[in-house]
């Protein structure tokens, strides 16, 4: 996902997670009308392959700093190889800036070494991002309070996961407190974060086996008193076109 901030004279763009290979990442950027050289940095939430992917190689190739936690950095020694990415260690609750973007990392309950999620703002409006979390916590809700737009994991429908062909151990992992957000938990988080000026809400990280866009959008729309079509879905293959944060 690319987040862009413009302040008249300058534009800042960061790529949040890089779960694909070098070519596919470049292809997906092209779909948004971007070349890798137009990015300013990469942010990596955690070491799982669908997030770190080719981040170090991509950062090294295109001369982009890679911001991630110390734990993620430690857990990914095998991926760093000879790529010599410019890694900048960040930590939960220590805000930092990349160009015109102010970025606040926060931590989440997930089975990774030191996972981070992010709230990003330009001084005017803020976008909250939450994927890869097993449960709702007061801390997570507090970090997302007041955001103007939200990208929210809706990983699975509990019933579909229960009845899926996944092995029991995997079901326990996904549905556990350090796994992934069920639609109903995402909805519970949204209900606490929602406010009158909350704009775009994007359902993300949907399981292809254990969820459907219809179930995810219905769950989120339900708590907003909206219709499912008002909720956007970040599709794994098609992604999502540019969306504004705030009015
Ligand atoms: Zn993930
Ligand atoms: Zn993960």
């Amino acid at each position: 996902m690319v987040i862009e901030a413009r302040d008249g004279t300058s534009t800042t763009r960061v790529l949040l997670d890089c779960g694909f290979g070098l070519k596919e990442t470049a292809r997906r950027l092209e779909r948004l009308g971007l070349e890798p050289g137009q990015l300013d940095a990469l942010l990596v939430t955690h070491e799982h392959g669908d997030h770190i992917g080719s981040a170090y190689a991509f950062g090294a190739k295109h001369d982009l700093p890679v911001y991630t936690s110390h734990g993620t950095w430690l857990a990914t020694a095998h991926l760093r190889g000879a790529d010599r990415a410019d890694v900048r260690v960040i930590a939960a609750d220590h805000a930092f800036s990349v160009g015109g973007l102010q970025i606040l990392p926060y931590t989440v309950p997930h089975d990774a070494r030191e996972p981070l999620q992010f709230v990003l703002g330009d001084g005017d409006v803020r976008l909250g991002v939450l994927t890869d979390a097993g449960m709702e916590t007061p801390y997570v809700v507090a970090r997302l309070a007041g955001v103007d737009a939200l990208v929210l994991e809706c990983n699975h429908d509990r019933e579909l996961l229960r009845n899926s062909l996944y092995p029991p151990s995997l079901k326990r992992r996904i549905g556990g407190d350090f796994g992934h957000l069920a639609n109903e938990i995402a909805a519970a988080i949204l209900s606490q974060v929602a406010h009158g000026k909350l704009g775009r809400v994007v359902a993300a990280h949907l399981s292809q086996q254990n969820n459907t866009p219809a179930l995810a959008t219905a769950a989120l729309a339900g708590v907003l008193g909206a219709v499912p079509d008002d909720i956007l879905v970040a599709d794994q293959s098609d992604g999502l076109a540019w969306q504004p944060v705030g009015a």
Side-chain angles (χ1 to χ4, degrees):
M1 173 168 58
V2 179
I3 295 106
E4 177 180 287
R6 289 186 214 155
D7 76 353
T9 53
S10 69
T11 304
T12 305
R13 297 183 193 93
V14 298
L15 177 62
L16 174 45
D17 283 335
C18 188
F20 298 97
L22 291 172
K23 270 193 191 153
E24 180 63 12
T25 303
R27 195 184 72 79
R28 284 166 178 258
L29 286 172
E30 200 180 304
R31 242 171 20 193
L32 294 170
L34 294 177
E35 291 174 17
Q38 292 176 283
L39 296 172
D40 296 285
L42 270 73
L43 311 179
V44 177
T45 55
H46 64 298
E47 67 269 28
H48 292 159
D50 54 327
H51 298 268
I52 193 143
S54 65
Y56 294 133
F58 193 85
K61 183 174 179 191
H62 300 292
D63 211 11
L64 301 167
V66 179
Y67 291 82
T68 198
S69 70
H70 189 237
T72 301
W73 184 77
L74 286 175
T76 50
H78 60 294
L79 296 176
R80 281 182 261 133
D83 288 327
R84 300 194 190 284
D86 171 12
V87 176
R88 316 246 174 121
V89 172
I90 54 174
D93 293 326
H94 292 267
F96 63 98
S97 292
V98 175
L101 272 174
Q102 291 117 48
I103 303 168
L104 178 67
Y106 66 98
T107 194
V108 287
H110 188 55
D111 53 3
R113 185 108 177 225
E114 189 185 346
L116 297 174
Q117 294 290 323
F118 297 96
V119 175
L120 307 101
D122 66 354
D124 234 354
V125 290
R126 294 186 308 142
L127 166 71
V129 179
L130 174 61
T131 68
D132 297 74
M135 60 180 155
E136 172 196 341
T137 69
Y139 167 80
V140 165
V141 169
R143 285 295 165 273
L144 294 174
V147 295
D148 299 279
L150 181 62
V151 173
L152 180 57
E153 167 169 61
C154 291
N155 180 259
H156 58 276
D157 171 81
R158 283 219 167 109
E159 198 61 32
L160 289 182
L161 178 64
R162 196 166 23 243
N163 295 322
S164 84
L165 296 173
Y166 280 14
S169 61
L170 185 56
K171 289 185 190 183
R172 275 196 300 276
R173 196 221 132 210
I174 292 170
D177 285 348
F178 293 85
H180 291 275
L181 290 177
N183 291 340
E184 65 186 70
I185 308 211
I189 292 171
L190 179 62
S191 73
Q192 295 176 73
V193 169
H195 58 91
K197 289 187 182 154
L198 176 63
R200 299 281 198 283
V201 175
V202 179
H205 215 298
L206 274 70
S207 163
Q208 284 175 340
Q209 284 78 27
N210 304 319
N211 209 356
T212 66
L215 287 168
T217 55
L220 298 188
V223 299
L224 295 179
V227 294
D229 279 352
D230 290 338
I231 307 293
L232 300 166
V233 177
D235 184 90
Q236 212 173 74
S237 55
D238 299 334
L240 183 66
W242 289 107
Q243 301 293 329
V245 175

